[in-house]
Amino acid sequence: MPAVTVLDDDPVAGVQLAALRDVNTSPEHFRYHAQRLGSMLALRAVQGIPADGATVQTPLGPAPTLAPGRTIVAVPVLRAGLGLLPGIHDVLPTALVGMIGLERDEQTLLARRYYFKVPPLDGAWVLVLEPMLATGGSASDAVKALDAEGAEQVIVLAVTATQTGVDRILDENPRVRIVTAAIDEGLDDNGYIYPGLGDFGDRLFGTPP
Ligand code: URA
């Protein structure tokens, strides 16, 4: 699997991303499209997961089956990452869930973890839900914390990213993978991804700007 997968050649994901970018999309519809895109990102992320074989009885006889051979854990980075979680469960219904809360420490300007609760990660495949991969600082911090818990594979799922953010995560975490629907031009003066879609959390929850 490549370290970075960009769904920019996938017109089905493109429709979902366009709706999320559209300034006229209401929070109700934003949640719907975030869910749909979350499913698409998750399906790409778990391509290549070790599989367990089994047999199921059809009305006519035995048929071979496959199922994921690793525990899958989805970890939304609060609060925006919550928007992708329903779509993860649509396609990976047995995925366990952890949560990470990060905020900027105004003294050090570094990401500070104010909440961290995850199930046992030994050998697990962990999907970090960080919709807007801007500087990569928070996502990289999350990946380090999850790696330290013994995850076999950590994959960051983003709606859109900057090349700087992607490079930072890969530099700091050599084993990580990233799946994103797009890589945008860069950051504007306020630290928003350009052209991006604005503040993902605000748009998801209808918080006034
Ligand atoms: N977080 C957001 O919600 N949007 C951005 O563009 C960057 C970070």
Side-chain angles (χ1 to χ4, degrees), residues 80 131-135 160 187 191-202:
M132 305 302 281
L133 216 168
T135 63
T160 185
L187 295 180
Y192 282 98
I193 297 178
Y194 185 84
L197 52 77
D199 190 300
F200 195 95
D202 284 358

Side-chain angles (χ1 to χ4, degrees), residues 127-165:
L127 311 182
V128 181
L129 313 183
E130 172 74 309
M132 305 302 281
L133 216 168
T135 63
S138 322
S140 189
D141 183 82
V143 172
K144 283 179 206 146
L146 297 163
D147 240 352
E149 297 283 319
E152 179 178 279
Q153 177 70 66
V154 179
I155 307 162
V156 178
L157 273 56
V159 168
T160 185
T162 64
Q163 191 59 53
T164 315

